């Protein structure tokens, strides 16, 4: 059986987009991924922006990883855990274990690519 293709979307900004918010709601909410932490950090710390990596299947988000990016000249620093803010890793609860691993691999690939 062929699995549906996944699509990775990287969005930059202080707050996540609608597909991220729907995924967060499906994952039970909580502080991780809420966006207000990232928005506050972006507003008060220089040169920071949020990065929201979302994996979608059949047009619906099934995984997400958020981090802060700090630009200093041509260099960027990535932070996924700043000042007590939880890392924003979301995996849809309806994914079977094998698919969760696949989605996680795509998200971690996006993280490592951003760090290069």
């Amino acid at each position: 059986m062929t699995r549906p293709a996944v699509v990775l979307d990287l969005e930059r900004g202080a707050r996540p987009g609608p597909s991220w918010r729907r995924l967060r709601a499906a994952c039970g909410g909580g502080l991780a991924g809420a966006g207000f932490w990232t928005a506050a950090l972006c507003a008060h710390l220089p040169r920071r922006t949020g990065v929201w990596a979302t994996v979608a299947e059949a047009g619906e988000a099934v995984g997400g990883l958020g981090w802060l990016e700090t630009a200093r000249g041509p260099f960027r620093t990535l932070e996924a855990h700043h000042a007590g803010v939880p890392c924003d890793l979301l995996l849809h609860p309806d994914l079977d274990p094998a698919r969760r691993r696949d989605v996680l691999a795509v998200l971690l690939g996006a993280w490592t690519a951003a760090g290069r």
Side-chain angles (χ1 to χ4, degrees), residues 1-56:
M1 179 166 129
T2 304
R3 293 183 175 177
V6 297
V7 176
L8 174 68
D9 180 49
L10 286 178
E11 189 176 351
R12 285 180 167 73
R15 294 191 181 270
S19 64
W20 179 279
R21 290 192 303 268
R22 285 192 302 276
L23 174 62
R24 182 177 163 268
C27 292
L31 293 177
F36 60 84
W37 289 109
T38 302
L41 292 170
C42 290
H44 298 290
L45 298 174
R47 298 178 302 275
R48 287 188 176 67
T49 188
V51 180
W52 311 93
T54 308
V55 174

Side-chain angles (χ1 to χ4, degrees), residues 8-112:
L8 174 68
D9 180 49
L10 286 178
E11 189 176 351
R12 285 180 167 73
R15 294 191 181 270
S19 64
W20 179 279
R21 290 192 303 268
R22 285 192 302 276
L23 174 62
R24 182 177 163 268
C27 292
L31 293 177
F36 60 84
W37 289 109
T38 302
L41 292 170
C42 290
H44 298 290
L45 298 174
R47 298 178 302 275
R48 287 188 176 67
T49 188
V51 180
W52 311 93
T54 308
V55 174
E57 258 182 7
E60 200 54 45
V62 293
L65 179 63
W67 62 83
L68 278 177
E69 186 175 85
T70 305
R72 291 190 175 112
F75 302 105
R76 293 177 299 147
T77 302
L78 309 180
E79 301 170 82
H81 191 281
H82 180 85
V85 178
C87 179
D88 295 323
L89 173 63
L90 302 172
L91 294 171
H92 199 285
D94 292 342
L95 290 175
D96 66 68
R99 199 57 173 160
R100 290 173 70 88
R101 285 189 296 275
D102 294 344
V103 171
L104 181 59
V106 171
L107 292 170
L108 294 178
W111 167 263
T112 57

